[in-house]
Amino acid sequence: DAKTTQPPSMDCAEGRAANLPCNHSTISGNEYVYWYRQIHSQGPQYIIHGLKNNETNEMASLIITEDRKSSTLILPHATLRDTAVYYCIVRVFRTASKLTFGTGTRLQVML
Amino acid sequence: GAVVSQHPSRVICKSGTSVKIECRSLDFQATTMFWYRQFPKQSLMLMATSNEGSKATYEQGVEKDKFLINHASLTLSTLTVTSAHPEDSSFYICSVDAAAGDAGNTIYFGEGSWLTVV
């Protein structure tokens, strides 16, 4: 699976949008971009995934650049409960089920 | 509701003893489960792949005789930390791949199990 690079930490004011970047310059054509988050002392939680089109669900939006070498996870209205470590992972869809976690981005949402 | 359940959520054991952690797939059958370990302020590290009805596959550097994995049924995998030492204290997390489903996301994680060896 391709390697990903994320900033180690970010701050965001509550109610504002949180934009979390991820670089995956070596992504292959059949690899999807997945985002998970881990709230302290809990197991990772799935957020969203995509291949090349922008995706949106009830939790977040995922913007993937046209060359697919980077993406941005957007939490439109961050709350204190969104404080967590966010992991960007690339993998072939429904294969290679063992995930390789990078260091992720620690998002701190502040009042 | 939870798709994957781990038990216990927290356990304290004495050095030299063994402790078992269970991972249950609640909503679907899973021929493959994964065990991760996470030390404080670090990322998740894959320990092994648990295969139903066959031997587990361990990642490099993980002692198979120390971390015994049993996957006797399609809904249950167990991780036994044998002869535990304080350095084994960690957060252990399992995951399940619901590859049989049609959902876009097929990987679900348990709530994790905190192990403290004293």
Side-chain angles (χ1 to χ4, degrees):
Chain A
D1 293 334
K3 184 177 179 179
T4 62
T5 304
Q6 299 176 251
S9 63
M10 293 182 66
D11 293 334
C12 178
E14 189 177 33
R16 304 297 291 270
N19 299 292
L20 293 91
C22 179
N23 286 320
H24 31 80
S25 58
T26 61
I27 192 170
S28 300
N30 61 347
E31 287 183 312
Y32 284 64
V33 180
Y34 280 76
W35 283 83
Y36 291 84
R37 74 179 183 184
Q38 186 179 25
I39 295 171
H40 183 62
S41 297
Q42 297 182 23
Q45 175 191 22
Y46 166 79
I47 301 173
I48 199 168
H49 77 284
L51 180 62
K52 55 183 179 180
N53 297 319
N54 297 338
E55 302 288 344
T56 296
N57 63 20
E58 64 277 6
M59 290 182 67
S61 294
L62 174 60
I63 309 298
I64 302 174
T65 57
E66 191 170 343
D67 62 8
R68 301 210 321 123
K69 293 185 177 182
S70 64
S71 61
T72 301
L73 177 73
I74 301 174
L75 307 179
H77 305 287
T79 71
L80 296 177
R81 285 183 289 185
D82 291 323
T83 293
V85 178
Y86 288 77
Y87 295 99
C88 167
I89 297 171
V90 295
R91 71 175 183 103
V92 178
F93 180 58
R94 293 181 64 167
T95 64
S97 311
K98 56 180 183 179
L99 302 181
T100 301
F101 285 82
T103 52
T105 295
R106 185 173 298 274
L107 175 67
Q108 179 68 54
V109 181
M110 304 172 297
L111 289 171
Chain B
V3 176
V4 181
S5 177
Q6 280 186 241
H7 177 80
S9 58
R10 289 182 179 272
V11 59
I12 300 174
C13 71
K14 292 183 178 181
S15 286
T17 63
S18 296
V19 61
K20 180 185 292 185
I21 300 170
E22 296 184 343
C23 177
R24 292 184 182 274
S25 175
L26 302 179
D27 290 348
F28 46 83
Q29 296 179 333
T31 56
T32 304
M33 296 185 182
F34 302 90
W35 286 97
Y36 295 82
R37 178 169 56 183
Q38 185 177 33
F39 293 108
K41 297 188 178 182
Q42 295 186 22
S43 188
L44 285 77
M45 294 296 294
L46 179 68
M47 298 176 65
T49 302
S50 173
N51 304 300
E52 188 269 334
S54 64
K55 292 182 178 180
T57 304
Y58 291 82
E59 296 299 303
Q60 190 173 7
V62 178
E63 300 176 59
K64 62 179 181 180
D65 295 328
K66 180 170 183 61
F67 299 99
L68 301 179
I69 292 173
N70 182 278
H71 193 151
S73 78
L74 290 172
T75 59
L76 175 65
S77 175
T78 61
L79 169 68
T80 301
V81 182
T82 63
S83 186
H85 290 284
E87 56 264 32
D88 297 323
S89 298
S90 186
F91 191 48
Y92 292 87
I93 307 166
C94 70
S95 74
V96 175
D97 187 353
D102 294 329
N105 171 56
T106 61
I107 297 179
Y108 300 90
F109 290 86
E111 311 97 323
S113 300
W114 280 103
L115 169 63
T116 302
V117 184
V118 298

